[in-house]
């Protein structure tokens, strides 16, 4: 195991009716005015908006609103939020939604606090120095953003889907009520499942130091995601499955699986970000396309670990069979597993490659993830 | 899954040489004077005491000392520490040692802050209202105290081994350098292994709501403890095994395994505490005696989970075989598995029962853990 620091200060409030406590949580910090961010107007129809704002009012907390945050959240909306936050001198930011709303809120929180243009931090030109305090009520479990300090946003003008990360971006309190997640469509449930699996397997497969204990935690998460996704496809109202799915999602990207593993990278995410930046497909859908192709391209570099995965997750013996079994599972639950499945013309591979290669250079991965390597992976995904 | 709150604010600094940073961590909070607590004088010979005090001095931190804390830490030593802390107006408390030192430090930290006699809190007469800030350098991994908010101390006059728990008792920073743990004797390595397994299986077996995800995390910890204990018995210098053993130990009792499980209790710990309170045997040794007996007494109440355990951990099919396999493993690695093995006369069962029953009443468990039930379990442990 390599040296590491593990420090996740976020308080998780998990379970039924927990969203009713949001006002009390924010008030316990003494904040009196928040920016309330959300996605579609659906939350105004289904009662959640009302529950949240009643809780804020009951605790003497004023709020201003930013709605309309979309999946694959965009930079222009972040700028809009930063302006509202500054104009209204809000003291904290509250996300009500999934990972896209939360990542937008994290970006707004940093942008409203720091001096630089927020995109400078995504371009790694400078380090984030602080952020407004972040609270959230999660309505879709997938990104793990509720218990980590990262955020991903797309600059829609430049088609760059990049990330920020800073300890100041850990939410103070994240509320996770699995009942609020049951209205997620079957497609987004599946994309979320792929995303969670993707979070765990990056380090699992490409870290050169990968202790068994960390592998076992990863496998526990993947087994849980596979089991609960299949239950939820049949019965979206299964609370216990929904809850385990959500909690596994949180554990998949809060540092637990990678504590003590050697430096590892996120090549599948890097390449997928180009797909969703250019074609605006769901992140999980893009990952289901990239992962099997990347795995075929990569597995000989770490064949023992791929064999382990094959055996433990799919009870099959070879690395190749494990990769095929994962691809087959993605397909079975309804995720696209090729560019063609997502109606992406293979003639666009050069464009996707060029986009991903820019990220590869920015993140210092271009020695391995050359243009040629990325193109080869994408060709395997045709 | 049942509702839960998960909030573990402790920062873990894990790895080689991390103990050299202790002064900087304490100074980052602005504290200038600490009470430094430890066990045997060995740390003055092996250089650790020097490393720690140099780090404190380099960061302008004064210290006063309390040495001589023993395994199964005793209340009189806690009082001694509280007096030193108060007399010297220390601002924080630093433990350098294993779980006994850390639990003593937590008790000192609470006792120096709160108005009541510290034992009142162990007797559940009042709730802890605050504590001096706690820091630690862990030299033995077993109790999980480095990332939780509990502490266990023995009142040597009354022979009561009881516990306190409060969110104010989470350490601020816990330093875990596996290299500092390699001087642990083979016996204590084994007792530690039993203790870690014991922490995970209490909830695993007796919670009525036990989601698969939480079971998988427990199984990951147990598999890791079994694997690394066997490696470390052969080769105490195996850093990677030592590190995984330690990190699994931390995860075994920080709330991760029990998040979302139904109310669960610690009957094995309760009964063992009477053994170590009366006979001063190592806690892990006592647990190895109690667990197989308790499991035989209990398993029919939750047979499916015992079968699951048998299959996944020992690849055997019946609940009984799983229990026997666990007992055999304890025996194989050198732990006592009966009262006789620990030279405890079976004529003392009444005395042990009476002691454990007092705890059973205090903790509200006496409907199930009656005198008769406790005696029956102890008889199975003869």
């Amino acid at each position: 195991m390599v040296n590491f620091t593990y420090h996740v200060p976020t308080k998780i409030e998990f379970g039924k009716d927990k969203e009713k406590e949001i006002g009390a949580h924010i008030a316990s910090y003494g904040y009196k005015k928040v920016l309330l961010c959300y996605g579609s107007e659906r939350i105004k129809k289904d009662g959640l908006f009302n529950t949240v704002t009643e809780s804020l009012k009951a605790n003497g907390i004023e709020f201003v609103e930013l709605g309309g945050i979309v999946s694959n959240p965009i930079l222009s909306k972040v700028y809009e939020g930063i302006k509202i936050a500054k104009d209204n001198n809000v003291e904290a930011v509250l996300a009500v939604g999934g990972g896209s709303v939360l990542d937008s809120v994290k970006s707004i929180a940093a942008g409203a606090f720091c001096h630089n243009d927020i995109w400078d931090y995504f371009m790694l030109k400078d380090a984030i120095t602080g952020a407004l305090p972040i609270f959230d009520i999660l309505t879709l479990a997938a990104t793990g953003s509720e218990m980590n300090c990262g955020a991903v946003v797309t600059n829609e003008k430049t088609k760059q889907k990049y990330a920020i990360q800073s300890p100041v971006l850990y939410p103070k309190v994240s509320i996770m009520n699995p009942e609020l997640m049951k209205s997620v469509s079957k497609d987004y449930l599946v994309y979320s499942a792929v995303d969670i699996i993707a979070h765990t397997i990056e380090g699992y497969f490409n870290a050169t130091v990968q202790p068994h204990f960390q592998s076992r935690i990863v496998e526990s998460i993947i087994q849980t995601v596979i089991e609960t996704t299949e239950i939820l496809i049949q019965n979206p109202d299964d609370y216990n499955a929904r809850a385990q799915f959500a909690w596994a999602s949180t554990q998949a990207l809060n540092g637990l699986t990678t504590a003590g593993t050697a430096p590892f990278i996120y090549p599948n995410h890097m390449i997928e970000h180009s797909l969703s930046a250019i074609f605006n497909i769901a992140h999980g859908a893009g990952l289901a396309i990239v992962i099997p192709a990347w795995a075929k391209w990569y597995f000989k570099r770490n064949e023992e670990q791929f064999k382990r995965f094959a055996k433990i997750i799919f009870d099959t013996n070879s690395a190749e069979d494990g990769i095929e079994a994962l691809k087959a599972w993605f397909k079975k639950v309804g995720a696209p597993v090729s560019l063609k499945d997502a109606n992406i013309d293979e003639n666009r591979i050069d464009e996707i490659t060029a986009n991903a290669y820019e990220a590869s250079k920015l993140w210092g991965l271009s020695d391995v993830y050359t243009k040629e390597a990325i193109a080869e992976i994408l060709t395997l995904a045709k």
Side-chain angles (χ1 to χ4, degrees), chain A:
Chain A
M1 279 173 85
V2 299
N3 284 11
F4 65 88
T5 298
Y6 187 87
H7 188 210
V8 182
T10 301
K11 177 187 274 192
I12 301 286
E13 290 287 357
F14 191 105
K16 294 175 185 174
D17 291 329
K18 289 276 190 171
E19 68 278 11
K20 293 177 183 166
E21 300 167 9
I22 186 63
H25 286 295
I26 296 173
S28 76
Y29 285 84
Y31 306 131
K32 294 284 183 196
K33 191 169 190 180
V34 302
L35 171 59
L36 165 56
C37 301
Y38 55 94
S40 85
E41 295 293 312
R42 188 166 56 80
I43 67 164
K44 294 198 174 171
K45 289 180 196 147
D46 66 14
L48 179 56
F49 185 86
N50 196 46
T51 302
V52 171
T53 54
E54 285 301 318
S55 177
L56 294 176
K57 283 176 203 160
N59 287 279
I61 298 163
E62 285 183 78
F63 64 92
V64 288
E65 283 180 50
L66 175 71
I69 294 169
V70 293
S71 293
N72 292 323
I74 52 177
L75 181 61
S76 58
K77 204 75 188 176
V78 169
Y79 285 135
E80 194 181 333
I82 293 170
K83 185 171 187 318
I84 299 173
K86 285 182 170 175
D87 287 351
N88 292 276
N89 292 311
V90 303
E91 296 164 291
V93 196
L94 168 61
V96 180
S100 294
V101 177
L102 185 40
D103 284 8
S104 298
V105 154
K106 287 177 170 178
S107 307
I108 292 166
F113 185 98
C114 297
H115 292 297
N116 288 21
D117 182 295
I118 184 66
W119 193 248
D120 284 356
Y121 303 105
F122 285 87
M123 296 301 292
L124 310 183
K125 287 183 186 165
D126 209 344
I128 292 169
T129 52
L132 296 179
I134 296 157
F135 297 82
D136 64 273
I137 297 171
L138 198 70
T139 61
L140 184 145
T143 69
S145 194
E146 66 278 7
M147 204 176 177
N148 69 37
C149 64
V152 175
V153 166
T154 299
N155 181 333
E156 69 271 38
K157 286 188 188 157
T158 61
K159 304 275 186 206
Q160 289 166 310
K161 185 174 182 180
Y162 286 179
I164 48 174
Q165 195 163 20
S166 163
V168 301
L169 297 180
Y170 280 108
K172 298 284 186 215
V173 179
S174 289
I175 289 178
M176 300 176 67
N177 175 355
E179 288 193 321
L180 299 178
M181 304 170 186
K182 72 181 178 189
S183 59
V184 170
S185 71
K186 188 252 177 187
D187 282 352
Y188 265 85
L189 169 70
V190 167
Y191 302 152
S192 300
V194 176
D195 195 18
I196 300 165
I197 292 172
H199 292 150
T200 64
I201 62 172
E202 299 270 29
Y204 179 90
F205 283 136
N206 74 49
T208 47
V209 175
Q210 175 66 22
H212 286 176
F213 181 48
Q214 277 69 16
S215 288
R216 290 186 180 110
I217 300 285
V218 166
E219 289 146 7
S220 297
I221 292 170
I222 296 174
Q223 286 168 335
T224 302
V225 169
I226 288 176
E227 178 180 83
T228 55
T229 300
E230 294 185 359
I231 294 170
L232 291 169
I233 287 173
Q234 296 301 318
N235 179 14
D237 290 334
D238 188 313
Y239 180 84
N240 189 41
R242 185 75 66 183
Q244 288 183 75
F245 182 95
W247 189 230
S249 171
T250 302
Q251 298 302 330
L253 198 61
N254 67 1
L256 179 69
T257 66
T258 52
T261 66
F264 56 91
I265 56 176
Y266 287 87
N268 292 288
H269 280 74
M270 180 182 77
I271 297 171
E272 192 296 313
H273 283 180
S274 296
L275 291 182
S276 45
I278 298 171
F279 303 102
N280 197 28
I281 63 171
H283 177 51
L287 285 165
I289 296 166
V290 173
I291 288 170
W294 173 84
K296 273 179 213 161
W297 177 81
Y298 187 84
F299 81 87
K300 289 229 164 104
R301 293 165 178 83
N302 195 8
E303 193 158 355
E304 281 311 306
Q305 186 74 350
F306 277 86
K307 278 187 183 171
R308 180 188 166 104
F309 174 85
K311 188 73 203 159
I312 292 176
I313 304 299
F314 292 111
D315 196 22
T316 182
N317 288 314
S318 76
E320 292 97 324
D321 287 351
I323 295 166
E324 282 307 317
L326 180 63
K327 185 173 177 176
W329 188 79
F330 287 163
K331 203 176 166 99
K332 181 180 99 171
V333 293
V337 292
S338 65
L339 294 173
K340 197 175 163 198
D341 283 351
N343 298 315
I344 296 173
D345 192 325
E346 62 180 84
N347 292 322
R348 309 281 297 267
I349 285 179
D350 284 352
E351 181 187 353
I352 307 165
T353 299
N355 186 296
Y357 185 61
E358 288 304 308
S360 183
K361 281 190 291 183
L362 182 69
W363 299 342
L365 310 180
S366 56
D367 281 356
V368 176
Y369 291 92
T370 59
K371 263 191 187 171
E372 293 68 29
I374 297 168
E376 206 178 317
I377 294 165
L378 286 164
T379 302
L380 287 166
K382 278 201 298 193

